[in-house]
Amino acid sequence: MTAQIGILAPRLRRKFMEWCENRRGATAVEFALVSVPFFFLIFGLLEVCLLFIMSTVLEHSLGEASRKIRTGQAQDSGFTKVEFRQEVCSNFYDLLDCDERLYIDVRSLDKFSTADLTTPLGGDGEIDDTDFKYDPGSANDIVAVRVFYEWELMTPWVSTPLSNLPNNRHLIQTNAVFRNEPFGD
């Protein structure tokens, strides 16, 4: 019996050494190890790029819509809050939804220094829009326009550091403070 074990031992040792030296499948194992951080970085980069693009779209839309207030077109045509919201939404290029995730605050001010450009978050971390107004002012008035959009992040496990609202959302905010032109004279 010990003679048979002595004969099998070198053969088992040789098979074990062949198995250790076998390189088939090494590429698959290396890809599996490298792919996780690679795709993590790629998806994170795409999420940040989308966030910047949507922020730029929102800023452009605010600039175009607030021009109607600044030049007096909104006041002369009797724009309501709903119509101004539609004007903001018309410049989204179908990249953002004009739904309950869009918040608009327009108010006239006494001085530029009284413009409140802070983010109106309630105690639960949600947007508190109870104090939002639509007051485009009249000629030569100072007006502050704030637009907020709740962007839902697409990759929850990658974009958690980008989330500044509950439920994996990011609040995009853009502001415009200006003096109305002397229209109507």
Side-chain angles (χ1 to χ4, degrees), residues 103-105 116-118 120 132 144-148 173-175:
Y103 302 89
I104 299 174
D105 182 33
D116 179 20
L117 304 177
T118 59
F132 283 9
V145 182
R146 300 185 304 165
V147 176
F148 304 94
Q173 175 180 351
T174 185
N175 308 306

Side-chain angles (χ1 to χ4, degrees), residues 50-66:
L50 274 175
L51 198 57
F52 280 129
I53 290 169
M54 296 311 139
S55 178
T56 303
V57 166
L58 190 65
E59 190 171 330
H60 168 75
S61 183
L62 171 67
E64 292 296 318
S66 64

Side-chain angles (χ1 to χ4, degrees), residues 18-47:
E18 287 175 7
W19 182 78
C20 288
E21 292 174 1
N22 188 352
R23 297 291 180 203
R24 290 183 306 180
T27 304
V29 171
E30 290 170 357
F31 177 75
L33 292 173
V34 172
S35 65
V36 172
F38 174 74
F39 286 117
F40 184 83
L41 289 173
I42 292 297
F43 288 126
L45 182 63
L46 289 175
E47 187 80 60

